[in-house]
């Protein structure tokens, strides 16, 4: 039979374990207290009996048997905790306060023979009771036997009451422990049910469900806050994924439509003999390559926006800037542009190197693409006075009007002066996404001014926080 869920909870099992450990410890303490108390009572009784035996044997040595007998009679009549038996050399009773002989004499008895025994007595109400006693039998010089015992019934009764009290206390602790365990388990089950309800809701597709945080600051509140933070992150990620999917579907619709139209025109021209079929295929491949490049760029932007925090590493931004300058300098020279770089060393940043390299490549590529021959492109990497690291690409091209500088960071935005150049309008969108993912900023400013009747040029700066 399966136990109720309350009894299968970890707090209740832990409570049972601690109660069992406490019961074992309490039993050990109880046994120690009983043994120690009983040993102490026996040692005290032995000491009392030895003193009494010492007094009586002294009377016997100094004055003989009759004075000893007289002393025993007086003690018996006076009453007290001691019990006496005096036997003559033949083993016959001379004086006794016990109706039994607890120790039967034997020829090979040692000088002292201790014995614990029970005897009958009457209480104040006249009832017969049995009491515990501890005594010793000694042989006198004349062969007589003297037995002296002490009534330890009161001590035994005290030990019994102590034992009962300890057992009762242990039983009470066990009962209270089990009750406390049930109460704690019930409260924890109620608290955990809140989390189970949220988990079930999320499994059912409700990403808005959140755990209640009571504000007590305990570990359950910490768990609830952590769960809510995780769900916030999950909801944001799912929203980003949905947004990315919608964006990709929306953003690629126009390029696909344009590609289809161009292919249809190329097919008509090829059938009419105006162009060669091979040229039509080449146009189709070029359009497909451009579309694939657009798709990869859109996907990269979506990945950046969905991941929030891309995988990063600490490296010197100067190395990356140097590599990009070395890569694009030949392309600039082929177009008749002057390409220069100004790179400071020791620009340590924490970033995703491939994404940052793609962003710099887009900036330099745009500068080379839109700067007329005879112009200049400058790549800089430096540390700002605020400690931030800045990459900037400055050109002497047509620039971007103030009214359009915010708009060109959106996807598929192309200005009138860039219509003649190939592209999809995603270059600066990717740079903006890289800046946002790295908690940086992108700035567009006017360039160095008119160069050979061309300009005012454009300066694009990508600013990132330094490595901590």
């Amino acid at each position: 039979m399966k136990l109720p869920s309350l009894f299968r909870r970890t707090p209740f099992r832990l409570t049972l374990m601690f109660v069992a450990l406490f019961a074992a410890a309490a039993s050990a303490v109880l046994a120690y207290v009983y043994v120690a108390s009983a040993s102490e009572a026996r040692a005290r009784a032995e000491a009392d009996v030895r003193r009494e035996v010492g007094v009586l044997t002294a009377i016997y040595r100094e004055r003989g048997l009759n004075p000893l007998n007289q002393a025993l009679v007086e003690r018996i009549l006076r009453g007290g905790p001691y019990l006496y038996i005096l036997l003559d050399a033949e083993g016959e009773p001379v004086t006794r306060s016990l109706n039994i002989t607890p120790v039967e004499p034997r020829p090979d008895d040692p000088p002292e023979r201790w014995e614990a025994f029970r005897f009958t007595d009457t209480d104040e109400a006249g009832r017969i009771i049995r009491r515990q006693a501890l005594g010793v039998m000694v042989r006198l010089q004349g062969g007589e036997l003297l037995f002296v015992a002490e009534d330890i019934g009161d001590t035994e009764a005290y030990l019994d009451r102590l034992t009962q009290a300890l057992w009762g206390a242990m039983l009470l602790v066990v009962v209270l422990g089990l009750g406390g365990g049930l109460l704690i388990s019930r409260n924890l089950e109620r608290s955990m049910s809140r989390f189970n309800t949220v988990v079930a809701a999320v499994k059912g597709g409700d990403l808005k469900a959140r755990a209640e945080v009571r504000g007590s600051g305990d570990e359950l509140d910490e768990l609830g806050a952590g769960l809510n933070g995780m769900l916030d992150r999950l909801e944001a990620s799912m929203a980003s994924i949905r947004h990315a999917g919608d964006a990709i579907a929306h953003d690629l619709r126009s390029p696909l439509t344009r590609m289809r139209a161009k292919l249809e025109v190329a097919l008509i021209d090829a059938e009419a003999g105006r162009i060669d079929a091979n040229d039509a295929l080449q146009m189709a491949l070029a359009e497909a390559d451009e579309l694939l490049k657009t798709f990869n760029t859109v996907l990269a932007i979506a990945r950046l926006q969905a991941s929030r925090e891309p995988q990063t590493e600490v490296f010197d931004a100067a190395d990356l800037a140097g590599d990009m300058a070395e890569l694009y300098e030949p392309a600039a020279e082929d177009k008749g542009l002057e390409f220069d770089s100004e790179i400071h060393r020791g620009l340590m940043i924490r970033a995703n190197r491939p994404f940052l390299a793609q962003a710099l490549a887009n900036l330099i590529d745009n500068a080379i693409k839109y700067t007329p021959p005879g112009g200049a492109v400058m790549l800089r990497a430096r540390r700002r006075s605020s400690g931030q690291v800045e990459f900037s690409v400055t050109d002497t091209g047509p620039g971007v009007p103030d009214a359009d500088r915010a708009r060109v960071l959106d996807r598929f935005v192309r200005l009138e002066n860039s219509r003649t150049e190939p592209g999809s309008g995603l270059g600066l969108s990717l740079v903006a996404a890289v800046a946002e993912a790295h908690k940086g900023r992108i700035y567009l400013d006017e360039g160095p001014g008119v160069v050979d009747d061309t300009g005012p040029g454009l300066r694009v700066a990508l600013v990132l926080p330094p490595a901590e």
Side-chain angles (χ1 to χ4, degrees), residues 79-269:
Y82 296 108
L83 306 171
Y84 305 98
I85 298 177
L86 179 60
L87 304 178
D88 60 17
E90 285 75 24
E92 296 297 328
V94 177
T95 301
R96 63 191 308 162
S97 60
L98 286 170
N99 54 3
I100 61 170
T101 303
V103 182
E104 293 295 335
R106 296 193 297 266
D108 56 347
D109 280 339
E112 291 184 355
R113 182 179 171 190
W114 290 89
E115 190 74 26
F117 63 96
R118 291 189 175 274
F119 67 98
T120 57
D121 197 3
T122 55
D123 58 10
E124 296 178 354
R127 293 172 300 187
I128 298 177
I129 58 175
R130 293 181 61 82
R131 298 176 65 85
Q132 182 79 16
L134 177 66
V136 63
M137 185 177 66
V138 297
R139 187 174 293 277
L140 303 178
Q141 295 178 352
E144 298 88 356
L145 295 175
L146 174 63
F147 182 78
V148 180
E150 182 177 5
D151 183 358
I152 58 173
D154 294 338
T155 302
E156 289 292 324
Y158 165 75
L159 291 176
D160 290 341
R161 290 193 300 271
L162 177 62
T163 302
Q164 293 174 1
L166 290 175
W167 279 113
M170 186 173 69
L171 179 62
L172 179 62
V173 168
V174 170
V175 172
L176 291 177
L178 292 177
L182 290 174
L183 180 62
I184 294 173
S185 298
R186 184 177 297 276
N187 291 337
L188 185 60
E189 184 177 23
R190 290 175 180 173
S191 299
M192 294 302 295
S193 65
R194 297 179 291 142
F195 303 127
N196 293 331
T197 301
V198 173
V199 171
V202 173
K203 288 172 62 178
D206 182 12
L207 295 181
K208 298 292 185 182
R210 294 295 183 271
E212 177 188 0
V213 179
R214 298 170 298 178
S216 60
D218 58 5
E219 61 276 5
L220 293 178
D221 269 5
E222 293 179 359
L223 176 61
L227 178 62
N228 290 342
M230 181 188 68
L231 292 176
D232 290 341
R233 182 75 178 271
L234 177 63
E235 183 182 11
S237 298
M238 294 299 295
S240 297
I241 292 173
R242 285 195 297 267
H243 175 73
D246 296 341
I248 291 174
H250 178 270
D251 294 341
L252 292 182
R253 182 170 56 188
S254 296
L256 283 172
T257 302
R258 189 165 56 250
M259 177 181 176
R260 186 184 185 283
K262 289 184 177 181
L263 290 176
E264 187 175 4
V265 171
L267 180 62
I268 293 173
D269 290 342

Side-chain angles (χ1 to χ4, degrees), residues 246 292 335:
D246 296 341
L292 185 59
K335 191 177 178 181

Side-chain angles (χ1 to χ4, degrees), residues 39-55 82 114 134 136 148 150 152:
S39 300
E40 176 66 22
R42 182 182 179 93
R44 187 173 60 251
E46 286 185 1
D48 294 341
V49 170
R50 288 184 185 279
R51 284 195 299 270
E52 184 68 9
V53 169
V55 172
Y82 296 108
W114 290 89
L134 177 66
V136 63
V148 180
E150 182 177 5
I152 58 173

Side-chain angles (χ1 to χ4, degrees), residues 377-442:
V377 175
M378 168 67 78
L379 169 65
R380 290 185 175 91
R382 67 185 183 90
R383 185 180 301 278
R384 286 187 162 193
S385 59
S386 62
Q388 295 175 306
V389 175
E390 177 187 280
F391 299 93
S392 66
V393 178
T394 307
D395 62 59
T396 59
V400 176
D402 291 344
D404 295 327
R405 287 177 185 172
R407 192 167 64 90
V408 294
L409 298 179
D410 297 333
R411 284 181 285 189
F412 297 100
V413 173
R414 304 190 70 196
L415 302 181
E416 290 300 326
N417 56 10
S418 65
R419 296 292 182 182
T420 58
E421 297 291 339
S424 58
L426 292 172
L428 290 179
S429 298
L430 178 62
V431 177
V434 170
E436 181 181 0
H438 291 82
K439 298 180 175 58
R441 297 289 300 275
I442 181 172

